[in-house]
Amino acid sequence: MEETKKITNHGRNAALLSIIPGFGQFYNKQFVKGFIFLILAMSFAFTFYDVLPVGFWGLFTLGEIPRLDHSVFLLIDGIIALIITIMGLGIFALNIYDARNNGKKRDAGLELNSVRQQYHNLIDNGFPYLMITPGFFLLIFVVIFPILFVLLLAFTNYDLYHSPPAKLVDWVGFQNFIDIFKLDIWRTTFFAVLAWTIVWTFGATTLQVALGIFLAILVNQKDLKGKAIIRTMMILPWAVPSFITILIFSGMFNESFGVINKTLLPFLGMEPQPWMTNEVWTRFALIMIQTWLGFPFIFAMTTGVLQSIPEELYEAATVDGATIMQKFFNITLPLVLFATAPILITQYTFNFNNFNVIFLFNGGGPALPSQNAGGTDILISWIYRLTMTSAQYGKAAAVTMILSLIVITVALWQFKRTKSFQEEDMM
Amino acid sequence: MSNKQNKIIRLTLSYIVILAMIFIVVYPLLWVIGSSLNPGQSLSGSKMFPENPTLIHYQFLFDLEKSNYLLWYWNSMKISITTMILSVISVAFTAYAFSRYRFIGRKNGLMTFLILQMIPNFAALIAIFVLANRTGLLDTHIGLILVYVGGQIPMNTWLMKGYLDTIPKELDESAKMDGAGHFRIFFQIVMPLAKPILAVVALFSFIAPLGDFILARILLRSEKNFTLAVGLYELVAKQFGNEFTKFAAGAVLVAIPIALLFLMFQKYFVSGLTAGGTKG
C-alpha cells in the first residue's frame, strides 16, 4: 500500500484556487462547502461593490465640495466600510485556510470529512462563535465603532469653524495633540485639569477606602451591639442612586440658601463658605461628597472579608501575647487588603472617570479666567464641556485619546499583576 | 478591672464614632424628605421640619397634565428592564463561550474585553451622538438601550466568566457523554448552577441605566423621552432652587423603592463581586 503513495500538492493547489472563494473546496471535492463560500462571496461583492469604494473615498478625503459632502457622515460611512472590509477579509482568509487544510489532509492521504461530519464539525466548532455573536455585534457598533471614530476624529480639525454641512473637515495629522501641548491656553488648561484629576482620584478614593475599612473593623467588634441595624444604615448611601444624592448635596451646599451655610456651620460656630464659587472649597466639598458616596461599598466588601477570617488566628495571636495593634497590622489589614485589592484598584479607575459627581454638583465650575475648563473639571468632564459647550470636537477627541491611554496603561499594569489573570489558561 | 474599664472606653468611643457617622449618612436623606414636605416652592424657604407639612408636591408630580414625572418614571423603568433582560442574555452567552470553549480568538477577545471595561463608553460621547444622529436613533429609547447593553457586556462578561470557571467542567462533560447537546448543557446544567451570578448581572444592569446621567442626557432630546436622572436634573438646573421642593419629592419617590430593592439584594451584590471579582 505504501509504495503507491505519490507526492501531491493538494494543499498548495487548493489554497491557490480558493483565491476565487469556493474553488479550493471544489478542488477538494467538498461541493456543498464550496457553494456556500462561493455564494457568500458573491453576495458580499454584489451588496458592497459600489458602497465600499465610496466609503473609502470618503474616509480618505472627508469630502470635497462643502454643503454637498458631509464630512462627518463620510467619516462614519468610511469606518463602516472599513469594518465590513475587515469582516469580508476574515471570511476570505477562512476560505483559503480551510481549502489549504483539507488539501494538506489529502496530501497526507487522510480521508476528508463527509458532508454529515462537516455539519457536525461546524456545529461543534462554530458553537462558541454562535454564542458570542450577538454580544460581539453589539460591541462592535456601540463600543468599538465609537472608539475608532474618536481615534480618527483626533486627527481632524472638526470644530465650530469646520462644521459640516457648511464647511468641510480635514485631516490635520497630529495638530490637535501639538496644540494641546504647545499653545499656552491649552497647555495650562490641560495640565491644570490633569493635576486636579490626579489629586481628585487619589484623594477621594483613598479617603473612601480608608473610611470604609475603618468603619467595617469598628462595627465588626465582637461585643458591639446592634450590628445589623448599624450595617444597614451605613450602606444607605450606596443604596440611593448617586445622581439623586449629588443633586441633594448641591442643594445643601448652595451658598445663600443651602442648609450647610444657613444652619450647620453657624451651629458649629463657623463662617459660611463660598462652596460653589471658590474652586478650592468646591474641590473640598466634592472630595467629601465622594467619600460619603463611596465608603459604603468598601464597608460592605470589608465586612464580608472580616467575617470570613477564622477566629483561631486571633486566638493563636493572643496566646502568643500579641497586642490589639499587632493583631490589626499583622492579621486583619493584610487579609482585608489582599482580598479586596482588585476591587480597590477599580475604585481608582472609577473615580478617575467619575463624571456624575463633578458635573451634577457644580457643572465642573466655578469658571476660571486662566483656562478653558472649569475649576473642578476632571478630564472626562472637560471632554464633555469641549464637546457639548464649545464644539471643539477634534480637541475633545485628542483629550479622549490621552485619557484612554492613561487608563489602559494603568489597567494593563494592574492586571498583569493580578493572580487571577496569571492563572487564567490563556491557551 | 482595668481590662473592663478599657472595654467600656473602647465601646463608648466606638458608639460615638458610629453615631456621628450615622448622623452624617442619614442627615441629607432626612433633609430631602423634610424639604419635599414644605409648602413653599423654593430652596430658600424650605425647612427640614416644616411647621405645616403638605403633600402638594407629590400631588403635582402625579398630575400627568402638569408634570412629566410619571412619564420619566415609566421611561426609566422601561429602559432599565429592557437593558437588564438583553444584558443577561448576551452576557450569559458570551461568558459561557469564553469559560467553556477553547476557540481561535478567545485570548484576544478576553484581552479586548478587559481593556474595554476600563474605558467608560461615554468617553466616546461625540461618536455615540453622531452615530445615533446618523442612524436616526437620536432621541429614541432603543438607541439608548443598545448603548447601555453594549457597555455592560465587557465588565459583566468577566464577572460571569469568573463564576462559571468555578462550576466543575466534569458536570457538562458527563452530560455530553449522555448525549446532551450544546444548548441543553447550557440551559439545563450550567445556567441553573449560575443563578447567583445571573442575579448579580441582572441587578447591575438594572441599576446602571437608572444611575446613568451622561448618555441619557446626550441621546435624549425631548422632555417626553427623558429618564428620571435627566428629568430631575433639569428640574433643579432650570432655575436653581426655585423648584427645589418638587425635585425633593421626585427624589424621594425614586430613592425609596430603589434603596429597598438594593438592601434586599445587597448580600448577592457583595458575594457576587467577591466571587467573580477577586477571581476574574
Side-chain angles (χ1 to χ4, degrees), chain B residues 47-249:
Chain B
K47 295 199 185 84
M48 189 157 164
F49 301 104
E51 280 123 30
N52 37 359
T54 161
L55 289 174
I56 49 164
H57 303 304
Y58 292 92
Q59 280 167 0
F60 173 85
L61 293 179
F62 278 104
D63 189 338
L64 268 173
E65 295 187 354
K66 288 184 203 152
S67 114
N68 283 323
Y69 183 77
L70 284 184
L71 214 57
W72 299 339
Y73 219 110
W74 163 245
N75 289 343
S76 274
M77 287 301 129
K78 194 176 78 181
I79 291 172
S80 280
I81 290 172
T82 323
T83 307
M84 176 177 88
I85 294 169
L86 294 179
S87 300
V88 168
I89 296 173
S90 51
V91 166
F93 280 170
T94 325
Y96 181 73
F98 277 125
S99 167
R100 281 304 196 267
Y101 294 93
R102 299 290 175 267
F103 53 93
I104 300 167
R106 174 176 181 273
K107 184 181 168 181
N108 290 329
L110 278 173
M111 262 321 254
T112 317
F113 278 28
L114 197 62
I115 293 170
L116 287 181
Q117 71 159 354
M118 289 291 150
I119 312 171
N121 61 349
F122 58 77
L125 54 98
I126 329 157
I128 292 172
F129 175 78
V130 176
L131 185 66
N133 199 0
R134 181 70 168 138
T135 50
L137 288 176
L138 201 62
D139 205 20
T140 63
H141 290 153
I142 188 81
L144 193 59
I145 290 169
L146 289 178
V147 174
Y148 285 145
V149 177
Q152 296 279 337
I153 290 173
M155 181 207 149
N156 284 325
T157 299
W158 266 92
L159 199 65
M160 186 148 175
K161 178 192 163 288
Y163 191 92
L164 291 182
D165 284 346
T166 63
I167 299 176
K169 275 186 190 156
E170 289 74 29
L171 281 178
D172 21 323
E173 268 154 25
S174 64
K176 205 171 186 176
M177 294 289 209
D178 295 344
H182 293 282
F183 274 113
R184 208 183 148 106
I185 296 174
F186 175 73
F187 282 114
Q188 293 192 344
I189 308 227
V190 179
M191 281 304 117
L193 291 171
K195 267 184 202 152
I197 196 72
L198 284 174
V200 172
V201 171
L203 277 167
F204 275 159
S205 43
F206 179 80
I207 301 268
L210 269 179
D212 170 73
F213 170 77
I214 180 167
L215 286 168
R217 162 96 172 171
I218 294 166
L219 290 182
L220 302 177
R221 305 269 113 188
S222 52
E223 206 167 310
K224 288 243 178 293
N225 284 334
F226 281 176
T227 60
L228 280 168
V230 185
L232 286 176
Y233 171 77
E234 290 288 314
L235 207 58
V236 188
K238 237 186 258 166
Q239 305 147 301
F240 199 104
N242 278 348
E243 307 225 11
F244 195 80
T245 43
K246 274 180 204 148
F247 157 77

Side-chain angles (χ1 to χ4, degrees), chain A residues 72 77 124 127 129 131 139 221 223 225 238 243 252 257 262 292 339 353 356 411 415 420 424-425, chain B residues 7 10 14-15 24-25 44 93 101-102 104 106 113 118 130 134 161 182 210-211 229 262 278-279:
Chain A
V72 172
D77 298 349
D124 277 349
F127 191 72
Y129 295 105
M131 295 207 95
L139 212 60
Q221 293 177 91
D223 37 13
K225 296 271 187 307
W238 186 21
F243 76 91
M252 292 177 74
F257 312 121
K262 251 182 24 180
W292 189 94
N353 287 315
N356 271 14
F415 275 97
S420 58
E424 164 63 29
D425 46 342
Chain B
K7 184 182 159 183
R10 173 169 56 84
S14 303
Y15 280 122
I24 295 174
V25 163
S44 55
F93 280 170
Y101 294 93
R102 299 290 175 267
I104 300 167
R106 174 176 181 273
F113 278 28
M118 289 291 150
V130 176
R134 181 70 168 138
K161 178 192 163 288
H182 293 282
L210 269 179
F262 188 91
T278 51
K279 290 201 201 86

Side-chain angles (χ1 to χ4, degrees), chain A residues 200-215 286-299 302 343-344 346-348 350-351 354:
Chain A
W200 155 258
T201 307
F202 281 92
T205 317
T206 310
L207 259 178
Q208 76 190 42
V209 167
L211 185 66
I213 293 180
F214 168 73
L215 285 174
L286 277 171
I287 291 183
M288 289 298 123
I289 292 170
Q290 183 52 41
T291 310
W292 189 94
L293 288 169
F295 89 86
F297 178 68
I298 308 291
F299 174 85
T302 313
I343 293 168
L344 294 189
T346 55
Q347 289 291 295
Y348 282 91
F350 172 78
N351 270 334
N354 196 339

Side-chain angles (χ1 to χ4, degrees), chain A residues 369-407:
Chain A
S370 58
Q371 58 184 50
N372 58 10
T376 56
D377 263 330
I378 55 175
L379 284 172
I380 188 83
S381 67
W382 188 37
I383 293 171
Y384 179 88
R385 185 187 290 267
L386 287 176
T387 314
M388 304 309 275
T389 344
S390 52
Q392 293 271 8
Y393 306 107
K395 292 278 195 309
V399 177
T400 310
M401 290 327 299
I402 298 173
L403 173 140
S404 310
L405 209 66
I406 298 174
V407 177

Side-chain angles (χ1 to χ4, degrees), chain A residues 8-53:
Chain A
T8 52
N9 278 323
H10 293 312
R12 198 198 61 199
N13 295 346
L16 278 176
L17 271 173
S18 49
I19 285 177
I20 304 166
F23 278 56
Q25 281 75 17
F26 292 148
Y27 177 79
N28 289 334
K29 301 192 182 69
Q30 294 184 312
F31 294 103
V32 178
K33 205 198 272 176
F35 267 116
I36 294 176
F37 271 118
L38 189 62
I39 289 167
L40 257 179
M42 273 163 61
S43 44
F44 188 86
F46 259 122
T47 327
F48 297 120
Y49 81 99
D50 54 346
V51 185
L52 288 186

